[in-house]
Amino acid sequence: MPAVVVVGVQWGDEGKGKVVDILAEHADVVVRYQGGNNAGHTVVVDNQKTVLHLVPSGVLHRGTVCVIGNGVVVDPEVLIQEIDQLRERGYLEDESFLKISDRAHLIMPYHRAIDRARERLRGEGLIGTTGRGIGPTYEDKMARIGIRFADLLDERIFTEALRRAIDEKNAYLQAILKEQVIDYARVYDDYRRYAARLAPLVIDTGIYLDRALAAGRRVLFEGGQGTMLDVDHGTYPYVTSSNTIAGAACSGAGIAPNRITAVVGITKAYTTRVGSGPFPTELLDDLGRKLQHDGEEFGATTGRPRRCGWFDAVVARQAVRLNGLSGLAITKLDVLTGLKKLRVCVAYECGGRRLEEFPAGLSVLNQARPIYEELPGWDEPLSRARSLEDLPENARRYITCLEELTATRSVMVSVGARREDTIILANAFTA
Ligand code: IMP
């Protein structure tokens, strides 16, 4: 019953889509367990780019069951569009290969309206959310006023819950946020339509996964965002509204902790983040712009340019500890080609003190200066490398340095966007 969890080590966008896509070849079931359509996974197959926001990347493998777990917040309109697009491309012909948890919460139009209006009101201090209504939906879940798929499919419960919610949200939207109100009848009609379309896919996915694992099926859990965007352990308040670490696979998919057999952390060979918030190794100069350009660092969900900087081992070590990483998948190593010298942050300096661990306080973080170790670069293109021996010596040295600083072995190194541009060192399902 191998159950492998894949998480982002940094602030998201580490290239999880590609890694999950490769691992999914060995999986019978692929599961999303938190986040929503704030995530965007780009996968390149046969030179065709596919961006997935809600459906797990396993969908590109015929015969793989994809599960949207209870911890995910689902915008049904976006999900239906994604299903339709996938079907147009010849995927998901049999829709029973996609299963949605009856306990997953729904993103409603008022959640999106509140998310965007609040960001506008925050002005300079904005979080830089994706504007998809993720935070307000999780708020309602915790406030116990959310609407789940099980509620959507029960007409009486849905009618009452929606009436209550719209009354409350409209008062808030109008009086506090100075926004337009939401029309009850329109939302009701739209969501009844979504209910009819999605009802056949809605099941108790916790039970489904328990049975799958008990039957020895290989299950892959695909984390959204990254460890540093975790609502508890990330750069709060510049975080997403869910727990993104591996432990969240248990609560967000409804599986027991002792089911998990391996956790793979995906990290870029450098660092990026979108949105606001602390980023100690950020490069605000030409080098940062070069990484942004060469790495095509523009958000898959919002198209926003990503902030770029050096690899940060303080961040990576925190991810190793919080997620119990059994291996690292290093992505975008090829983007560093052509740089004379590479830098890796080993600790921070703050007020004359050396910090080995990521601090919680924002003012400490704002003063933290990275302490760098310097390594020699390489000029050779890497995309044809299929084993470590194919890499230039300095690229191998760089990988070893990341392994040593994090005390974690690498299991995969990505040297280009395509599925085949990858060095596979260990299979998380068998090794
Ligand atoms: P939210 O998740 O839309 O509420 O946004 C909160 C923060 O998380 C913002 O800084 C977003 O840019 C960031 N974020 C959310 N999802 C992703 C992702 O998939 N990749 C990178 N950043 C993300």
Side-chain angles (χ1 to χ4, degrees):
M1 48 147 230
V4 176
V5 183
V6 171
V7 290
V9 162
Q10 300 155 317
W11 281 276
D13 309 317
E14 294 91 350
K16 283 183 293 292
K18 175 176 163 179
V19 175
V20 169
D21 180 46
I22 289 172
L23 282 171
E25 220 165 289
H26 309 277
D28 301 302
V29 185
V30 183
V31 189
R32 279 278 313 268
Y33 56 86
Q34 48 69 234
N37 56 315
N38 48 349
H41 293 168
T42 310
V43 187
V44 182
V45 185
D46 301 332
N47 286 325
Q48 198 179 38
K49 247 191 199 182
T50 304
V51 183
L52 299 167
H53 296 290
L54 269 167
V55 177
S57 314
V59 73
L60 305 181
H61 295 271
R62 247 163 266 275
T64 304
V65 175
C66 289
V67 173
I68 296 179
N70 56 279
V72 179
V73 289
V74 179
D75 188 326
E77 188 183 354
V78 173
L79 179 58
I80 291 167
Q81 274 168 12
E82 202 162 307
I83 295 172
D84 289 346
Q85 269 167 27
L86 282 163
R87 287 175 62 88
E88 268 167 36
R89 291 187 173 199
Y91 299 107
L92 212 59
E93 259 163 34
D94 179 351
E95 287 190 16
S96 71
F97 279 83
L98 177 63
K99 306 196 183 295
I100 308 165
S101 167
D102 50 7
R103 290 172 172 81
H105 280 247
L106 291 158
I107 298 180
M108 308 295 291
Y110 46 80
H111 292 132
R112 288 192 299 268
I114 291 171
D115 192 1
R116 289 172 193 165
R118 279 202 198 136
E119 283 285 272
R120 265 197 301 278
L121 287 179
R122 281 188 188 114
E124 290 272 293
L126 91 175
I127 291 174
T129 73
T130 56
R132 303 295 196 259
I134 307 295
T137 308
Y138 277 115
E139 282 171 36
D140 279 4
K141 173 176 175 173
M142 293 310 173
R144 291 154 296 178
I145 52 170
I147 302 177
R148 305 166 305 161
F149 270 95
D151 308 322
L152 175 71
L153 299 189
D154 182 320
E155 194 174 349
R156 192 178 58 79
I157 299 232
F158 178 67
T159 307
E160 280 171 22
L162 184 66
R163 169 60 66 201
R164 246 195 334 266
I166 295 251
D167 286 349
E168 189 189 309
K169 302 300 177 190
N170 275 347
Y172 178 58
L173 278 165
Q174 207 170 19
I176 311 282
L177 300 176
K178 313 285 180 227
E179 287 292 317
Q180 294 203 332
V181 293
I182 305 265
D183 179 42
Y184 172 87
R186 188 152 168 202
V187 178
Y188 180 86
D189 290 346
D190 285 347
Y191 276 68
R192 292 310 304 159
R193 219 176 45 248
Y194 303 150
R197 171 77 170 84
L198 296 174
L201 314 183
V202 177
I203 61 162
D204 184 326
T205 50
I207 293 177
Y208 174 82
L209 289 172
D210 191 60
R211 289 188 182 148
L213 286 162
R217 302 183 79 197
R218 295 167 176 216
V219 183
L220 183 63
F221 295 89
E222 171 181 351
Q225 292 80 45
T227 301
M228 298 310 288
L229 288 172
D230 183 280
V231 68
D232 282 283
H233 303 285
T235 43
Y236 191 90
Y238 302 100
V239 291
T240 192
S241 297
S242 60
N243 284 113
T244 58
I245 56 173
C250 298
S251 51
I255 56 145
N258 57 0
R259 291 283 200 194
I260 297 172
T261 51
V263 185
V264 176
I266 324 280
T267 177
K268 273 185 191 155
Y270 49 98
T271 311
T272 65
R273 94 169 280 178
V274 281
S276 324
F279 180 0
T281 62
E282 182 169 17
L283 289 164
L284 295 163
D285 53 9
D286 283 348
L287 198 51
R289 282 186 284 278
K290 179 175 163 51
L291 288 176
Q292 193 179 70
H293 174 267
D294 294 358
E296 294 180 30
E297 297 295 356
F298 297 90
T301 300
T302 57
R304 289 179 291 177
R306 297 179 185 139
R307 302 154 64 192
C308 298
W310 294 119
F311 182 84
D312 187 338
V314 182
V315 164
R317 280 197 301 265
Q318 161 147 309
V320 170
R321 173 172 58 82
L322 289 168
N323 297 296
L325 296 186
S326 37
L328 282 180
I330 300 171
T331 60
K332 293 199 156 182
L333 187 67
D334 52 303
V335 174
L336 298 181
T337 293
L339 298 179
K340 286 275 158 293
K341 283 202 179 353
L342 303 173
R343 291 176 136 194
V344 172
C345 168
V346 294
Y348 306 140
E349 191 274 325
C350 183
R353 273 190 318 131
R354 185 182 167 100
L355 295 182
E356 300 280 347
E357 305 290 348
F358 205 88
L362 281 182
S363 51
V364 182
L365 262 174
N366 288 338
Q367 288 166 44
R369 297 286 159 263
I371 301 172
Y372 286 116
E373 214 172 275
E374 227 168 56
L375 288 104
W378 59 87
D379 286 322
E380 299 87 334
L382 307 185
S383 63
R384 286 176 189 275
R386 296 294 174 265
S387 72
L388 288 181
E389 292 68 45
D390 297 338
L391 291 174
E393 193 190 336
N394 286 345
R396 285 205 300 272
R397 219 160 125 182
Y398 188 76
I399 293 171
T400 307
C401 172
L402 304 197
E403 289 181 331
E404 285 174 1
L405 286 170
T406 55
T408 308
R409 67 178 180 148
S410 45
V411 291
M412 203 185 279
V413 180
S414 168
V415 289
R418 298 173 312 155
R419 217 187 245 178
E420 51 273 32
D421 300 338
T422 313
I423 300 170
I424 304 206
L425 301 165
N427 180 340
F429 278 108
T430 52

